[in-house]
């Protein structure tokens, strides 16, 4: 369980007060006038409050961080978003998404704008937008420019001659083998982790999953998952590791490289744990120096700002009845009746128990979308772990 932000916050209470907040938040002014150069990279997003005290400024920050995790440069002086009541117009061209990813962005936006939700409600839920991009492995790969195969990733980077043997891993259920990038500058920062079965100490380790990490031009970490044939895969193998999907890698790392936490066993012929920690520290310094050269709407010094992005998809993936009422533009009593008709059970939030900020009586998005008054685009069955359903909207 992580300490996530802001201390204790007001709980969901008072249906009338919440409905008023949802209906009157923000005025009809724009932040900055948008003059899009490419309408195919513009989309309207609906803001449904994650919790009663959530402010528009937090939504801005969350949206910027989500886009940053997806490779956008977010120039500090760019007019990227414009507000009209609770609707956000987003210009992804102005946001500086990667040139190589623009075709994928255009296809994703076309899918979203062709949806029943977009047609009926005048936009797509911000939570769904983040859920179908940042939390969906195949969209994440296309939007961040992850190497389409492992061979290409290897060709992009040079690696040190020695490897790191992780015998006691905080991620893998068994041993973990790591390779470390070498060279100068930000492009030298790269890591490969192999999960598998068997023992490195007994020379019986057999590779199975491949996990990669490198740095995008905007200073954010980028993750890729591959099978032994070098093909991208949506998630790691649960039997071997708790690493999950790329979205879980992001959630765990946040914006940081991480040294080994548990490893105490050093093996001959490999970097020692101490040496590996030194290599990670050196790469961390390279990243920090590079980030200071960037002029972006994302401030890497504000270490908890990324949690605003998490709130956008967490509240969507596990909504309250009050959120669903606002989302569906439906009386709360009617929503409650619909939920009861399916005998749907609620649960407390698994990550935000300490502050209660996202509510206690939460539903599973996979169970409630079919009750919406419009057809929706189905998201992954899990936002971070291996999913029984993982959408690929860019095929």
């Amino acid at each position: 369980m992580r300490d996530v932000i802001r201390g204790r916050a007001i709980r969901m209470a008072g249906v009338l007060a919440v409905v008023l907040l949802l209906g009157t938040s923000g005025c009809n002014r724009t932040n900055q006038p948008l003059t899009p150069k490419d309408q195919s990279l513009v989309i309207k997003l609906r803001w449904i409050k994650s919790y009663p005290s959530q402010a528009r400024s937090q939504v801005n920050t969350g949206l910027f961080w989500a886009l940053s995790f997806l490779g956008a440069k977010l120039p500090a002086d760019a007019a990227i978003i414009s507000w009209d009541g609770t609707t956000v117009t987003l210009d992804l061209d102005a946001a500086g998404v990667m040139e190589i990813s623009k075709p994928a962005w255009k296809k994703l936006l076309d899918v979203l704008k062709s949806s029943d939700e977009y047609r009926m409600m005048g936009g797509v839920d911000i939570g769904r937008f983040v859920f179908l991009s940042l939390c969906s492995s195949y969209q994440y790969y296309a939007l961040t420019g992850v190497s389409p195969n492992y061979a290409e990733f290897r060709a992009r980077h040079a690696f040190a001659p020695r490897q790191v043997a992780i015998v006691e891993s905080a991620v893998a259920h068994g041993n973990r083998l790591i390779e470390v990038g070498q060279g100068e500058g930000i492009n030298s920062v790269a890591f490969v982790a192999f999960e598998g079965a068997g023992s490195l100490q007994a020379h019986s380790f057999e590779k199975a999953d491949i996990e990669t990490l490198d740095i995008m031009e905007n200073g954010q970490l980028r993750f890729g998952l591959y099978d032994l044939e070098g093909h991208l895969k949506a998630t790691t193998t649960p039997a071997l590791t708790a690493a999950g999907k790329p979205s879980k890698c992001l959630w765990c790392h946040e914006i940081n490289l991480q040294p080994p936490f548990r490893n105490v066993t050093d093996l001959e012929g490999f970097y020692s744990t101490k040496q590996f920690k030194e290599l990670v520290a050196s790469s961390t310094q390279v990243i920090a120096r590079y980030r200071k050269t960037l002029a972006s709407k994302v401030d890497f010094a504000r270490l908890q700002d990324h949690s605003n992005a998490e709130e956008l998809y967490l509240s969507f993936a596990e909504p309250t009845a009050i959120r669903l009422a606002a989302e569906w533009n439906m009386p709360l009593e009617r929503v409650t009746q619909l939920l009861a008709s399916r005998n749907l059970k609620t649960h407390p939030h698994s990550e935000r128990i300490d502050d209660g900020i996202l509510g206690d009586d939460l539903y599973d998005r996979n169970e409630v979308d079919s009750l919406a008054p419009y057809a929706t685009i189905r998201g992954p069955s899990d936002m971070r772990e291996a999913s029984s359903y993982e959408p690929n909207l860019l095929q």
Side-chain angles (χ1 to χ4, degrees):
M1 196 70 61
R2 302 179 303 160
D3 295 327
V4 185
I5 52 174
R6 283 192 294 274
R8 300 196 61 82
I10 186 170
R11 288 177 174 271
M12 294 273 189
V15 172
L16 179 59
V18 173
V19 171
L20 287 173
L21 278 167
L22 288 169
T24 61
S25 57
C27 55
N28 290 324
R29 294 177 298 173
T30 58
N31 291 349
Q32 300 180 66
L34 298 184
T35 54
K37 297 179 180 178
D38 189 343
Q39 286 292 336
S40 63
L41 286 169
V42 176
I43 189 168
K44 292 185 182 296
L45 305 174
R46 303 166 57 219
W47 173 36
I48 311 298
K49 284 200 170 193
S50 299
Y51 48 91
S53 62
Q54 186 184 37
R56 206 162 69 171
S57 60
Q58 293 167 304
V59 178
N60 291 347
T61 300
L63 193 51
F64 288 147
W65 271 89
L67 293 172
S68 181
F69 285 140
L70 291 168
K73 292 181 180 178
L74 302 165
D77 59 350
I80 297 171
I81 61 178
S82 176
W83 284 86
D84 182 7
T86 57
T87 299
V88 180
T89 300
L90 171 64
D91 184 349
L92 289 163
D93 190 37
V97 296
M98 290 185 288
E99 198 67 33
I100 193 175
S101 74
K102 283 184 177 180
W105 273 114
K106 290 179 180 181
K107 188 165 186 178
L108 176 60
L109 264 56
D110 185 58
V111 171
L112 296 177
K113 289 190 283 190
S114 299
S115 68
D116 197 37
E117 176 187 6
Y118 200 89
R119 179 180 59 83
M120 289 184 61
M121 309 303 288
V124 68
D125 192 306
I126 290 181
R128 193 180 301 276
F129 173 78
V130 177
F131 204 55
L132 287 169
S133 54
L134 188 65
C135 299
S136 299
S137 298
Y138 297 117
Q139 279 80 259
Y140 171 84
Y141 291 147
L143 301 178
T144 58
V146 167
S147 296
N149 56 70
Y150 180 57
E152 182 177 302
F153 179 85
R154 295 290 304 194
R156 287 185 181 185
H157 305 283
F159 289 89
R162 272 197 294 174
Q163 298 172 314
V164 183
I166 302 295
V167 177
E168 298 92 6
S169 175
V171 179
H173 302 319
N175 289 179
R176 205 175 194 212
L177 186 64
I178 296 178
E179 296 190 38
V180 183
Q182 67 175 4
E184 299 294 330
I186 194 66
N187 291 328
S188 70
V189 179
F191 296 85
V192 177
F194 298 97
E195 317 282 14
S199 166
L200 288 167
Q201 193 166 12
H203 307 289
S204 62
F205 182 76
E206 295 183 359
K207 300 174 182 177
D209 282 359
I210 304 171
E211 303 158 19
T212 65
L213 181 158
D214 63 354
I215 311 298
M216 293 185 283
E217 191 176 350
N218 71 349
Q220 291 284 17
L221 310 184
R222 173 171 53 194
F223 300 91
L225 307 174
Y226 303 87
D227 61 24
L228 280 187
E229 286 70 45
H231 305 126
L232 282 169
K233 54 187 300 189
T235 184
T236 54
T237 303
L240 297 174
T241 176
K245 295 163 53 173
S247 51
K248 187 176 182 183
C249 299
L250 282 166
W251 170 80
C252 184
H253 279 263
E254 296 176 344
I255 61 172
N256 308 303
L257 302 179
Q258 292 181 351
F261 296 111
R262 294 177 51 193
N263 200 60
V264 295
T265 302
D266 294 335
L267 300 182
E268 185 178 355
F270 296 90
Y271 282 121
S272 67
T273 299
K274 179 177 182 295
Q275 289 171 323
F276 183 40
K277 288 182 178 179
E278 291 170 349
L279 290 169
V280 170
S282 176
S283 293
T284 298
Q285 292 175 358
V286 171
I287 295 172
R289 287 195 296 269
Y290 178 76
R291 286 172 174 169
K292 287 180 179 179
T293 68
L294 304 175
S296 169
K297 291 186 185 295
V298 162
D299 184 353
F300 287 99
R302 296 178 60 87
L303 300 180
Q304 291 297 343
D305 273 2
H306 67 85
S307 60
N308 290 282
E310 293 168 0
E311 287 172 358
L312 295 179
Y313 70 76
L314 287 173
S315 63
F316 174 81
E318 300 179 73
T320 62
I322 292 173
R323 188 195 196 280
L324 291 173
E327 185 180 325
W328 297 343
N329 193 24
M330 189 181 293
L332 180 61
E333 183 179 3
R334 175 58 179 154
V335 171
T336 303
Q337 290 172 347
L338 284 171
L339 296 170
S341 71
R342 296 289 182 89
N343 198 28
L344 300 181
K345 306 299 182 183
T346 61
H347 61 273
H349 206 285
S350 58
E351 295 171 26
R352 304 298 291 274
I353 293 174
D354 291 341
D355 58 23
I357 197 170
L358 296 180
D360 296 318
D361 298 320
L362 307 177
Y363 291 89
D364 185 334
R365 173 59 60 176
N366 297 300
E367 296 179 337
V368 301
D369 258 359
S370 62
L371 301 175
Y374 43 77
T376 63
I377 299 175
R378 185 182 176 190
S381 55
D382 198 285
M383 56 190 164
R384 297 182 187 140
E385 305 293 350
S387 297
S388 58
Y389 172 74
E390 191 69 45
N392 189 344
L393 303 177
L394 306 178
Q395 290 179 322

